[in-house]
Amino acid sequence: LSSSASGASVVAIDNKIEQAMDLVKNHLMYAVREEVEVLKEQIKELLEKNSQLERENSLLKTLASPEQLEKFQSRLPAEVLCPEEQSPGAAAPAQHSGGSAV
């Protein structure tokens, strides 16, 4: 009789553990979905801002005289003028900043 009672106790504990794990999983999934929605909205806003800045940049380039463009470009650091020449790993750490812990 005691072995069946201890067996039932183990099953009850297993059930409680499974319920707790399901609760944690559901909470994490909800938190991840919420974070993904926030990030999607930020990406959308950044794409719109980027598009706006590209249009402004293009307009400014068309309105600027060749002398103004030359003067402006001489003030820019080399990595702004030729970003493809930078090492690929240089920008990698910045991609992970700004994330929130869940």
Side-chain angles (χ1 to χ4, degrees):
L1 185 70
S2 72
S3 70
S4 68
S6 68
S9 175
V10 168
V11 169
I13 290 171
D14 285 349
N15 286 339
K16 293 285 183 188
I17 290 170
E18 191 174 332
Q19 289 173 358
M21 289 172 66
D22 284 344
L23 187 63
V24 169
K25 182 180 88 174
N26 289 336
H27 173 74
L28 286 173
M29 290 300 293
Y30 175 79
V32 167
R33 284 189 190 105
E34 199 172 70
E35 185 74 12
V36 165
E37 289 304 314
V38 168
L39 292 172
K40 281 182 180 178
E41 188 61 32
Q42 286 178 346
I43 289 169
K44 179 182 169 193
E45 290 170 5
L46 289 170
L47 287 171
E48 289 171 1
K49 180 72 173 176
N50 188 50
S51 179
Q52 175 190 349
L53 290 171
E54 285 177 348
R55 286 192 304 271
E56 287 179 20
N57 189 36
S58 178
L59 177 63
L60 288 171
K61 282 181 178 179
T62 60
L63 295 175
S65 69
E67 295 82 20
Q68 289 173 317
L69 282 174
E70 187 177 326
K71 184 176 180 182
F72 176 73
Q73 289 178 341
S74 69
R75 292 182 182 176
L76 292 177
E79 62 269 9
V80 174
L81 293 174
C82 304
E84 65 276 355
E85 292 178 11
Q86 282 184 314
S87 61
Q95 294 172 353
H96 299 292
S97 64
S100 63
V102 179

Coordinates of all heavy atoms in Angstrom, one line a residue:
L1 N 0.8 -1.2 0.0 CA 0.0 0.0 0.0 C 0.9 1.3 0.0 O 0.5 2.2 -0.7 CB -0.9 0.0 1.2 CG -1.9 1.1 1.3 CD1 -3.0 1.0 0.2 CD2 -2.6 1.2 2.7
S2 N 2.0 1.2 0.7 CA 2.8 2.4 0.8 C 3.5 2.7 -0.5 O 3.8 3.8 -0.9 CB 3.8 2.3 1.9 OG 4.8 1.4 1.6
S3 N 3.8 1.6 -1.3 CA 4.5 1.8 -2.6 C 3.5 2.4 -3.6 O 4.0 3.2 -4.4 CB 5.1 0.5 -3.1 OG 4.0 -0.4 -3.5
S4 N 2.3 2.1 -3.5 CA 1.3 2.7 -4.4 C 1.1 4.2 -4.0 O 0.9 5.0 -4.9 CB 0.0 1.9 -4.5 OG -0.7 2.1 -3.2
A5 N 1.1 4.5 -2.7 CA 1.0 5.8 -2.3 C 2.2 6.7 -2.7 O 2.0 7.8 -3.1 CB 0.8 5.9 -0.7
S6 N 3.4 6.1 -2.6 CA 4.6 6.9 -3.0 C 4.6 7.0 -4.5 O 5.0 8.0 -5.0 CB 5.8 6.2 -2.5 OG 6.1 5.0 -3.2
G7 N 4.1 6.0 -5.2 CA 4.0 6.1 -6.7 C 3.0 7.2 -7.1 O 3.3 7.9 -8.0
A8 N 1.9 7.3 -6.4 CA 0.9 8.4 -6.7 C 1.5 9.7 -6.4 O 1.3 10.7 -7.1 CB -0.4 8.1 -5.9
S9 N 2.3 9.8 -5.3 CA 3.0 11.0 -4.9 C 4.0 11.5 -6.0 O 4.1 12.6 -6.4 CB 3.7 10.8 -3.6 OG 4.5 12.0 -3.3
V10 N 4.7 10.5 -6.6 CA 5.7 10.8 -7.6 C 4.9 11.3 -8.9 O 5.4 12.3 -9.5 CB 6.6 9.6 -8.0 CG1 7.3 9.8 -9.3 CG2 7.5 9.2 -6.8
V11 N 3.8 10.7 -9.2 CA 3.0 11.1 -10.3 C 2.5 12.5 -10.1 O 2.5 13.4 -11.0 CB 1.9 10.1 -10.6 CG1 0.9 10.7 -11.6 CG2 2.4 8.8 -11.1
A12 N 2.0 12.8 -8.9 CA 1.5 14.1 -8.6 C 2.6 15.2 -8.7 O 2.4 16.3 -9.2 CB 0.9 14.2 -7.2
I13 N 3.8 14.9 -8.2 CA 5.0 15.8 -8.3 C 5.3 16.0 -9.8 O 5.6 17.1 -10.2 CB 6.2 15.2 -7.5 CG1 5.9 15.3 -6.0 CG2 7.4 16.0 -7.8 CD1 6.9 14.6 -5.1
D14 N 5.4 14.9 -10.6 CA 5.7 15.0 -12.0 C 4.6 15.9 -12.7 O 5.0 16.8 -13.5 CB 5.7 13.6 -12.6 CG 6.9 12.8 -12.3 OD1 7.9 13.4 -11.8 OD2 6.9 11.6 -12.6
N15 N 3.4 15.8 -12.3 CA 2.3 16.6 -12.9 C 2.5 18.1 -12.5 O 2.4 19.0 -13.4 CB 0.9 16.2 -12.5 CG 0.5 14.9 -13.1 OD1 1.0 14.5 -14.2 ND2 -0.4 14.2 -12.5
K16 N 2.9 18.3 -11.3 CA 3.1 19.7 -10.8 C 4.3 20.3 -11.6 O 4.3 21.5 -12.0 CB 3.4 19.8 -9.3 CG 2.2 19.5 -8.5 CD 1.2 20.6 -8.5 CE 0.1 20.3 -7.6 NZ -1.0 21.2 -7.6
I17 N 5.4 19.5 -11.8 CA 6.6 20.0 -12.5 C 6.2 20.3 -13.9 O 6.6 21.3 -14.5 CB 7.7 18.9 -12.4 CG1 8.3 18.9 -11.0 CG2 8.8 19.3 -13.4 CD1 9.2 17.7 -10.8
E18 N 5.4 19.4 -14.6 CA 5.0 19.6 -15.9 C 4.1 20.9 -16.1 O 4.3 21.7 -17.0 CB 4.2 18.4 -16.4 CG 4.0 18.4 -17.9 CD 3.3 17.1 -18.4 OE1 3.5 16.1 -17.8 OE2 2.6 17.2 -19.4
Q19 N 3.2 21.1 -15.1 CA 2.4 22.3 -15.1 C 3.3 23.6 -15.0 O 3.1 24.6 -15.7 CB 1.4 22.3 -14.0 CG 0.3 21.3 -14.2 CD -0.6 21.1 -13.0 OE1 -0.4 21.7 -12.0 NE2 -1.7 20.3 -13.2
A20 N 4.2 23.5 -14.1 CA 5.1 24.6 -13.9 C 6.0 24.9 -15.1 O 6.1 26.1 -15.5 CB 6.1 24.4 -12.7
M21 N 6.4 23.9 -15.8 CA 7.2 24.1 -17.0 C 6.4 24.6 -18.1 O 6.8 25.5 -18.9 CB 7.9 22.7 -17.4 CG 9.0 22.3 -16.5 SD 9.6 20.7 -16.8 CE 10.3 20.9 -18.4
D22 N 5.1 24.2 -18.2 CA 4.2 24.7 -19.2 C 3.9 26.2 -18.9 O 3.9 27.0 -19.9 CB 2.9 24.0 -19.2 CG 3.0 22.6 -19.9 OD1 4.0 22.4 -20.6 OD2 2.1 21.8 -19.7
L23 N 3.8 26.6 -17.7 CA 3.5 27.9 -17.3 C 4.7 28.8 -17.7 O 4.6 29.9 -18.3 CB 3.3 28.0 -15.8 CG 2.8 29.4 -15.3 CD1 1.5 29.8 -15.9 CD2 2.7 29.3 -13.7
V24 N 5.9 28.3 -17.4 CA 7.1 29.1 -17.7 C 7.3 29.2 -19.2 O 7.5 30.3 -19.8 CB 8.4 28.4 -17.1 CG1 9.7 29.0 -17.7 CG2 8.4 28.5 -15.6
K25 N 7.0 28.1 -20.0 CA 7.1 28.1 -21.4 C 6.1 29.1 -22.0 O 6.4 29.9 -22.9 CB 6.8 26.7 -22.0 CG 7.0 26.7 -23.5 CD 6.7 25.3 -24.1 CE 5.2 25.1 -24.3 NZ 4.8 23.9 -24.9
N26 N 4.9 29.1 -21.5 CA 3.8 30.0 -22.0 C 4.2 31.5 -21.7 O 4.0 32.4 -22.6 CB 2.5 29.7 -21.4 CG 1.9 28.4 -21.9 OD1 2.2 28.0 -23.0 ND2 1.0 27.8 -21.2
H27 N 4.8 31.7 -20.5 CA 5.2 33.1 -20.2 C 6.3 33.6 -21.1 O 6.3 34.7 -21.6 CB 5.6 33.1 -18.7 CG 6.2 34.5 -18.3 ND1 5.4 35.6 -18.1 CD2 7.5 34.8 -18.1 CE1 6.2 36.6 -17.8 NE2 7.5 36.2 -17.8
L28 N 7.3 32.7 -21.3 CA 8.4 33.1 -22.2 C 7.9 33.3 -23.6 O 8.4 34.3 -24.3 CB 9.5 32.0 -22.1 CG 10.3 31.9 -20.9 CD1 11.2 30.7 -20.9 CD2 11.1 33.2 -20.7
M29 N 7.1 32.5 -24.1 CA 6.6 32.6 -25.5 C 5.8 34.0 -25.6 O 6.0 34.7 -26.6 CB 5.7 31.5 -25.9 CG 6.4 30.2 -26.1 SD 7.7 30.2 -27.3 CE 6.7 30.4 -28.8
Y30 N 5.0 34.3 -24.6 CA 4.3 35.5 -24.6 C 5.2 36.7 -24.6 O 5.1 37.7 -25.4 CB 3.3 35.6 -23.4 CG 2.6 36.9 -23.3 CD1 1.5 37.2 -24.1 CD2 3.1 37.9 -22.4 CE1 0.9 38.5 -24.0 CE2 2.4 39.1 -22.3 CZ 1.3 39.4 -23.1 OH 0.7 40.6 -23.0
A31 N 6.3 36.6 -23.7 CA 7.3 37.7 -23.6 C 8.0 37.9 -25.0 O 8.3 39.0 -25.4 CB 8.2 37.5 -22.5
V32 N 8.4 36.8 -25.6 CA 9.1 36.8 -26.9 C 8.2 37.4 -27.9 O 8.7 38.3 -28.7 CB 9.6 35.4 -27.3 CG1 10.1 35.4 -28.7 CG2 10.7 35.0 -26.3
R33 N 7.0 37.0 -28.0 CA 6.1 37.5 -29.0 C 5.9 39.0 -28.9 O 5.9 39.8 -29.8 CB 4.7 36.8 -28.9 CG 4.7 35.5 -29.5 CD 3.2 34.9 -29.6 NE 3.3 33.5 -30.0 CZ 3.0 32.5 -29.2 NH1 2.7 32.8 -27.9 NH2 3.1 31.3 -29.6
E34 N 5.8 39.5 -27.6 CA 5.6 40.9 -27.3 C 6.9 41.7 -27.7 O 6.8 42.7 -28.4 CB 5.4 41.1 -25.8 CG 4.8 42.4 -25.4 CD 4.4 42.4 -23.9 OE1 5.4 42.4 -23.1 OE2 3.2 42.4 -23.6
E35 N 8.0 41.1 -27.4 CA 9.3 41.7 -27.8 C 9.4 41.8 -29.4 O 9.9 42.8 -29.9 CB 10.5 41.0 -27.2 CG 11.8 41.6 -27.5 CD 12.1 42.8 -26.6 OE1 11.4 43.1 -25.7 OE2 13.1 43.5 -27.0
V36 N 9.0 40.7 -30.0 CA 9.1 40.7 -31.5 C 8.2 41.8 -32.1 O 8.6 42.5 -33.0 CB 8.7 39.3 -32.0 CG1 8.4 39.3 -33.5 CG2 9.8 38.3 -31.7
E37 N 7.0 42.0 -31.5 CA 6.1 43.0 -32.0 C 6.7 44.4 -31.8 O 6.7 45.3 -32.7 CB 4.8 43.0 -31.3 CG 3.9 41.8 -31.7 CD 3.7 41.7 -33.2 OE1 3.3 42.7 -33.9 OE2 3.9 40.6 -33.8
V38 N 7.4 44.6 -30.7 CA 8.0 45.9 -30.4 C 9.2 46.1 -31.5 O 9.3 47.2 -32.0 CB 8.6 46.0 -29.0 CG1 9.5 47.2 -28.8 CG2 7.4 46.0 -28.0
L39 N 10.0 45.1 -31.7 CA 11.1 45.2 -32.6 C 10.6 45.4 -34.1 O 11.2 46.1 -34.8 CB 12.0 43.9 -32.5 CG 12.7 43.8 -31.2 CD1 13.4 42.4 -31.1 CD2 13.7 44.9 -31.0
K40 N 9.5 44.7 -34.4 CA 8.9 44.9 -35.8 C 8.5 46.4 -36.0 O 8.7 46.9 -37.0 CB 7.7 44.0 -36.0 CG 8.0 42.6 -36.3 CD 6.7 41.8 -36.6 CE 7.0 40.3 -36.9 NZ 5.7 39.6 -37.1
E41 N 7.9 46.9 -35.0 CA 7.5 48.3 -35.0 C 8.7 49.3 -35.1 O 8.7 50.2 -35.9 CB 6.6 48.7 -33.8 CG 6.0 50.1 -33.9 CD 5.0 50.2 -35.1 OE1 4.4 49.3 -35.5 OE2 5.0 51.4 -35.6
Q42 N 9.8 49.0 -34.4 CA 11.0 49.8 -34.4 C 11.6 49.7 -35.8 O 12.1 50.7 -36.4 CB 12.0 49.3 -33.4 CG 11.6 49.7 -32.0 CD 12.6 49.2 -30.9 OE1 13.4 48.4 -31.2 NE2 12.5 49.8 -29.7
I43 N 11.6 48.5 -36.4 CA 12.2 48.3 -37.7 C 11.4 49.1 -38.7 O 12.0 49.7 -39.6 CB 12.2 46.8 -38.1 CG1 13.3 46.0 -37.3 CG2 12.5 46.6 -39.6 CD1 13.2 44.5 -37.3
K44 N 10.1 49.0 -38.6 CA 9.2 49.8 -39.5 C 9.5 51.3 -39.5 O 9.7 51.9 -40.5 CB 7.8 49.5 -39.2 CG 6.8 50.2 -40.1 CD 5.4 49.9 -39.6 CE 4.4 50.9 -40.3 NZ 3.1 50.8 -39.7
E45 N 9.6 51.8 -38.2 CA 9.9 53.2 -38.0 C 11.3 53.6 -38.6 O 11.5 54.6 -39.2 CB 9.8 53.6 -36.6 CG 8.4 53.5 -36.0 CD 8.4 53.7 -34.5 OE1 9.4 53.9 -33.9 OE2 7.3 53.5 -33.9
L46 N 12.3 52.7 -38.3 CA 13.7 53.0 -38.8 C 13.7 52.9 -40.3 O 14.4 53.7 -41.0 CB 14.6 52.0 -38.2 CG 14.9 52.2 -36.7 CD1 15.7 51.0 -36.2 CD2 15.6 53.5 -36.5
L47 N 13.0 52.0 -41.0 CA 13.0 51.9 -42.4 C 12.4 53.2 -43.0 O 12.8 53.7 -44.0 CB 12.2 50.7 -42.9 CG 12.9 49.3 -42.7 CD1 12.0 48.2 -43.0 CD2 14.2 49.3 -43.6
E48 N 11.3 53.7 -42.4 CA 10.6 54.9 -42.8 C 11.6 56.1 -42.7 O 11.7 56.9 -43.6 CB 9.3 55.2 -42.1 CG 8.2 54.2 -42.4 CD 7.0 54.3 -41.5 OE1 7.0 55.1 -40.6 OE2 6.1 53.5 -41.8
K49 N 12.3 56.2 -41.5 CA 13.2 57.3 -41.3 C 14.4 57.2 -42.3 O 14.8 58.2 -42.8 CB 13.7 57.2 -39.8 CG 14.7 58.2 -39.4 CD 14.0 59.6 -39.3 CE 15.0 60.6 -38.7 NZ 14.4 61.9 -38.7
N50 N 14.9 56.0 -42.5 CA 16.0 55.8 -43.5 C 15.6 56.3 -44.9 O 16.3 56.9 -45.6 CB 16.4 54.3 -43.5 CG 17.7 54.1 -44.3 OD1 18.7 54.8 -44.1 ND2 17.6 53.2 -45.2
S51 N 14.4 55.9 -45.3 CA 13.9 56.3 -46.6 C 13.8 57.8 -46.7 O 14.2 58.4 -47.7 CB 12.5 55.6 -46.8 OG 12.0 56.0 -48.1
Q52 N 13.3 58.4 -45.6 CA 13.1 59.9 -45.6 C 14.5 60.5 -45.7 O 14.7 61.5 -46.5 CB 12.4 60.3 -44.3 CG 12.4 61.8 -44.1 CD 11.9 62.2 -42.7 OE1 11.4 61.4 -42.0 NE2 12.0 63.5 -42.4
L53 N 15.5 60.0 -44.9 CA 16.8 60.6 -44.9 C 17.5 60.4 -46.3 O 18.2 61.3 -46.8 CB 17.7 60.0 -43.8 CG 17.3 60.4 -42.4 CD1 18.0 59.6 -41.4 CD2 17.5 61.9 -42.2
E54 N 17.3 59.2 -46.9 CA 17.8 59.0 -48.3 C 17.2 60.0 -49.3 O 18.0 60.5 -50.1 CB 17.6 57.6 -48.7 CG 18.5 56.6 -48.0 CD 18.2 55.1 -48.4 OE1 17.1 54.8 -49.0 OE2 19.0 54.3 -48.1
R55 N 15.9 60.3 -49.2 CA 15.3 61.2 -50.1 C 15.9 62.6 -49.8 O 16.2 63.4 -50.8 CB 13.8 61.3 -49.9 CG 13.1 60.1 -50.5 CD 11.6 60.3 -50.5 NE 11.0 60.6 -49.2 CZ 10.6 59.7 -48.4 NH1 10.6 58.4 -48.7 NH2 10.0 60.0 -47.2
E56 N 16.0 63.0 -48.5 CA 16.6 64.3 -48.2 C 18.1 64.4 -48.7 O 18.5 65.4 -49.3 CB 16.6 64.5 -46.7 CG 15.2 64.8 -46.1 CD 15.3 65.0 -44.6 OE1 16.4 65.3 -44.1 OE2 14.2 64.9 -44.0
N57 N 18.8 63.3 -48.5 CA 20.2 63.3 -49.0 C 20.3 63.5 -50.5 O 21.1 64.2 -51.0 CB 20.9 62.0 -48.5 CG 22.4 62.0 -48.8 OD1 23.0 63.0 -48.6 ND2 22.9 60.8 -49.1
S58 N 19.5 62.8 -51.2 CA 19.5 62.8 -52.7 C 19.1 64.3 -53.1 O 19.7 64.8 -54.0 CB 18.4 61.8 -53.2 OG 18.4 61.9 -54.6
L59 N 18.1 64.8 -52.5 CA 17.7 66.2 -52.8 C 18.9 67.2 -52.5 O 19.2 68.0 -53.4 CB 16.5 66.6 -52.0 CG 16.0 68.0 -52.2 CD1 15.5 68.3 -53.6 CD2 14.8 68.4 -51.2
L60 N 19.5 67.1 -51.4 CA 20.6 67.9 -51.1 C 21.8 67.8 -52.0 O 22.4 68.8 -52.4 CB 21.1 67.7 -49.6 CG 20.1 68.2 -48.5 CD1 20.6 67.7 -47.2 CD2 20.0 69.7 -48.5
K61 N 22.0 66.6 -52.5 CA 23.1 66.3 -53.4 C 22.8 67.0 -54.8 O 23.6 67.5 -55.4 CB 23.3 64.8 -53.7 CG 24.1 64.2 -52.6 CD 24.4 62.7 -52.8 CE 25.2 62.1 -51.8 NZ 25.4 60.6 -52.1
T62 N 21.5 67.0 -55.2 CA 21.1 67.6 -56.5 C 21.2 69.1 -56.4 O 21.4 69.8 -57.4 CB 19.7 67.1 -56.9 OG1 18.8 67.5 -56.0 CG2 19.7 65.6 -57.2
L63 N 20.9 69.6 -55.2 CA 20.8 71.1 -55.0 C 22.2 71.7 -54.7 O 22.4 72.9 -55.0 CB 19.9 71.5 -53.9 CG 18.4 71.2 -54.1 CD1 17.6 71.5 -52.9 CD2 17.9 71.9 -55.3
A64 N 23.2 70.9 -54.2 CA 24.5 71.4 -53.9 C 25.3 71.6 -55.1 O 25.2 70.8 -56.1 CB 25.2 70.4 -52.9
S65 N 26.2 72.6 -55.1 CA 27.1 72.8 -56.2 C 28.3 71.8 -56.0 O 28.5 71.3 -55.0 CB 27.7 74.2 -56.1 OG 28.5 74.3 -55.0
P66 N 29.0 71.5 -57.1 CA 30.1 70.6 -57.1 C 31.2 71.1 -56.0 O 31.7 70.2 -55.3 CB 30.7 70.6 -58.5 CG 29.6 71.1 -59.4 CD 28.7 72.0 -58.5
E67 N 31.3 72.4 -55.9 CA 32.3 72.9 -54.9 C 31.8 72.6 -53.5 O 32.6 72.2 -52.6 CB 32.5 74.4 -55.0 CG 33.1 74.8 -56.3 CD 32.1 74.9 -57.5 OE1 30.9 75.0 -57.2 OE2 32.5 74.9 -58.6
Q68 N 30.5 72.7 -53.2 CA 30.0 72.4 -51.9 C 30.1 70.9 -51.6 O 30.5 70.6 -50.5 CB 28.5 72.8 -51.8 CG 28.3 74.3 -51.8 CD 26.8 74.7 -51.9 OE1 26.1 74.1 -52.7 NE2 26.4 75.6 -51.1
L69 N 29.8 70.1 -52.6 CA 30.0 68.7 -52.4 C 31.4 68.3 -52.0 O 31.6 67.5 -51.1 CB 29.5 67.9 -53.6 CG 28.0 67.8 -53.8 CD1 27.6 67.1 -55.1 CD2 27.4 67.0 -52.6
E70 N 32.3 68.8 -52.8 CA 33.7 68.5 -52.6 C 34.2 69.0 -51.2 O 34.9 68.2 -50.5 CB 34.6 69.2 -53.6 CG 36.0 68.8 -53.6 CD 36.9 69.4 -54.7 OE1 36.3 69.6 -55.8 OE2 38.0 69.7 -54.5
K71 N 33.7 70.2 -50.8 CA 34.1 70.7 -49.5 C 33.5 69.8 -48.4 O 34.2 69.5 -47.4 CB 33.6 72.1 -49.3 CG 34.0 72.8 -48.0 CD 33.5 74.2 -48.0 CE 33.9 74.9 -46.7 NZ 33.4 76.3 -46.7
F72 N 32.3 69.4 -48.5 CA 31.6 68.6 -47.5 C 32.3 67.2 -47.4 O 32.6 66.7 -46.4 CB 30.1 68.4 -47.9 CG 29.4 67.4 -47.0 CD1 29.1 67.8 -45.7 CD2 29.0 66.2 -47.4 CE1 28.4 67.0 -44.8 CE2 28.3 65.3 -46.6 CZ 28.0 65.7 -45.3
Q73 N 32.6 66.6 -48.6 CA 33.2 65.2 -48.6 C 34.6 65.3 -48.0 O 35.0 64.3 -47.4 CB 33.2 64.6 -50.0 CG 31.8 64.3 -50.4 CD 31.7 63.7 -51.8 OE1 32.6 63.9 -52.6 NE2 30.6 63.0 -52.2
S74 N 35.3 66.4 -48.1 CA 36.6 66.5 -47.6 C 36.6 66.5 -46.1 O 37.6 66.2 -45.4 CB 37.4 67.7 -48.1 OG 36.8 68.9 -47.6
R75 N 35.5 66.9 -45.5 CA 35.4 66.9 -44.0 C 34.9 65.6 -43.4 O 35.0 65.3 -42.2 CB 34.3 67.9 -43.6 CG 34.7 69.3 -43.9 CD 33.6 70.3 -43.4 NE 34.0 71.7 -43.7 CZ 33.2 72.7 -43.5 NH1 32.0 72.5 -42.9 NH2 33.6 73.9 -43.8
L76 N 34.4 64.7 -44.2 CA 33.9 63.4 -43.7 C 35.1 62.4 -43.5 O 36.0 62.4 -44.3 CB 32.9 62.7 -44.7 CG 31.6 63.4 -44.9 CD1 30.8 62.7 -46.0 CD2 30.8 63.5 -43.7
P77 N 35.0 61.6 -42.4 CA 36.0 60.6 -42.2 C 35.9 59.5 -43.3 O 34.8 59.3 -43.9 CB 35.6 60.0 -40.8 CG 34.3 60.6 -40.4 CD 34.0 61.7 -41.3
A78 N 36.9 58.8 -43.5 CA 37.0 57.8 -44.6 C 35.9 56.7 -44.4 O 35.4 56.3 -45.4 CB 38.4 57.2 -44.7
E79 N 35.6 56.3 -43.2 CA 34.7 55.2 -43.0 C 33.3 55.6 -43.4 O 32.4 54.7 -43.7 CB 34.7 54.6 -41.6 CG 34.3 55.6 -40.5 CD 35.5 56.4 -39.9 OE1 36.6 56.3 -40.5 OE2 35.3 57.0 -38.9
V80 N 32.9 56.9 -43.4 CA 31.6 57.3 -43.9 C 31.5 57.3 -45.4 O 30.5 56.9 -46.0 CB 31.3 58.7 -43.3 CG1 30.0 59.2 -43.9 CG2 31.2 58.7 -41.8
L81 N 32.6 57.7 -46.0 CA 32.6 57.7 -47.5 C 32.7 56.3 -48.1 O 32.2 56.1 -49.2 CB 33.8 58.6 -48.0 CG 33.7 60.1 -47.7 CD1 35.0 60.8 -48.1 CD2 32.5 60.7 -48.4
C82 N 33.5 55.4 -47.5 CA 33.7 54.1 -48.0 C 33.4 53.0 -47.0 O 34.3 52.3 -46.5 CB 35.1 53.9 -48.5 SG 35.6 55.2 -49.7
P83 N 32.1 52.9 -46.6 CA 31.8 51.9 -45.5 C 32.1 50.5 -45.9 O 32.4 49.6 -45.0 CB 30.3 52.1 -45.3 CG 29.8 52.8 -46.5 CD 30.9 53.5 -47.1
E84 N 32.1 50.1 -47.2 CA 32.4 48.7 -47.6 C 33.8 48.3 -47.3 O 34.1 47.2 -47.3 CB 32.0 48.5 -49.0 CG 32.8 49.3 -50.1 CD 32.3 50.7 -50.3 OE1 31.3 51.1 -49.8 OE2 33.0 51.4 -51.0
E85 N 34.7 49.3 -47.1 CA 36.1 49.0 -46.9 C 36.4 48.6 -45.4 O 37.4 48.2 -45.1 CB 37.0 50.2 -47.3 CG 37.0 50.4 -48.8 CD 37.9 51.6 -49.2 OE1 38.6 52.1 -48.4 OE2 37.8 51.9 -50.4
Q86 N 35.4 48.9 -44.5 CA 35.6 48.6 -43.1 C 35.6 47.1 -43.0 O 35.0 46.3 -43.8 CB 34.4 49.1 -42.3 CG 34.5 50.6 -42.0 CD 33.4 51.0 -41.1 OE1 32.2 50.7 -41.3 NE2 33.7 51.8 -40.1
S87 N 36.2 46.6 -41.9 CA 36.2 45.2 -41.6 C 34.8 44.7 -41.2 O 34.1 45.5 -40.5 CB 37.2 44.8 -40.5 OG 36.9 45.5 -39.3
P88 N 34.4 43.5 -41.7 CA 33.0 43.1 -41.4 C 32.7 43.0 -40.0 O 31.6 43.2 -39.6 CB 33.0 41.7 -42.1 CG 34.3 41.5 -42.9 CD 35.2 42.6 -42.4
G89 N 33.6 42.7 -39.1 CA 33.3 42.5 -37.7 C 33.2 43.8 -36.9 O 32.9 43.8 -35.8
A90 N 33.6 44.9 -37.5 CA 33.6 46.1 -36.8 C 32.3 46.6 -36.2 O 32.2 47.1 -35.2 CB 34.2 47.2 -37.7
A91 N 31.2 46.3 -37.0 CA 29.9 46.8 -36.5 C 29.1 45.7 -35.8 O 28.1 45.9 -35.2 CB 29.0 47.2 -37.7
A92 N 29.6 44.5 -35.7 CA 28.9 43.4 -35.0 C 28.5 43.6 -33.6 O 27.4 43.4 -33.2 CB 29.7 42.1 -35.1
P93 N 29.4 44.2 -32.7 CA 28.9 44.3 -31.3 C 27.8 45.3 -31.1 O 26.9 45.1 -30.3 CB 30.2 44.9 -30.6 CG 31.3 44.5 -31.5 CD 30.8 44.5 -32.9
A94 N 27.7 46.3 -32.0 CA 26.6 47.3 -31.9 C 25.2 46.6 -32.1 O 24.2 47.1 -31.6 CB 26.8 48.4 -32.8
Q95 N 25.2 45.5 -32.9 CA 23.9 44.9 -33.2 C 23.2 44.3 -31.9 O 22.0 44.2 -31.9 CB 24.1 43.8 -34.2 CG 24.5 44.3 -35.6 CD 24.9 43.2 -36.5 OE1 24.9 42.0 -36.1 NE2 25.2 43.5 -37.7
H96 N 24.0 44.0 -30.9 CA 23.4 43.4 -29.8 C 23.0 44.3 -28.7 O 22.4 44.0 -27.7 CB 24.4 42.3 -29.2 CG 24.7 41.2 -30.2 ND1 23.7 40.3 -30.6 CD2 25.8 40.9 -30.9 CE1 24.3 39.5 -31.5 NE2 25.5 39.9 -31.7
S97 N 23.4 45.6 -28.8 CA 23.1 46.6 -27.7 C 21.6 47.0 -27.9 O 21.0 46.9 -28.9 CB 24.0 47.8 -27.8 OG 23.8 48.4 -29.0
G98 N 21.0 47.4 -26.8 CA 19.7 47.9 -26.8 C 18.6 46.9 -26.6 O 17.5 47.2 -26.5
G99 N 19.0 45.6 -26.6 CA 18.0 44.5 -26.4 C 17.6 44.5 -24.9 O 18.3 44.8 -24.0
S100 N 16.4 44.1 -24.6 CA 15.9 44.0 -23.2 C 16.0 42.5 -22.8 O 15.7 41.6 -23.6 CB 14.5 44.5 -23.1 OG 13.6 43.7 -23.8
A101 N 16.3 42.3 -21.5 CA 16.3 41.0 -21.0 C 14.9 40.5 -20.7 O 14.0 41.3 -20.4 CB 17.1 41.0 -19.7
V102 N 14.6 39.3 -20.9 CA 13.3 38.8 -20.7 C 13.2 38.0 -19.5 O 14.1 37.2 -19.1 CB 12.8 37.9 -21.9 CG1 11.4 37.4 -21.7 CG2 12.9 38.7 -23.2

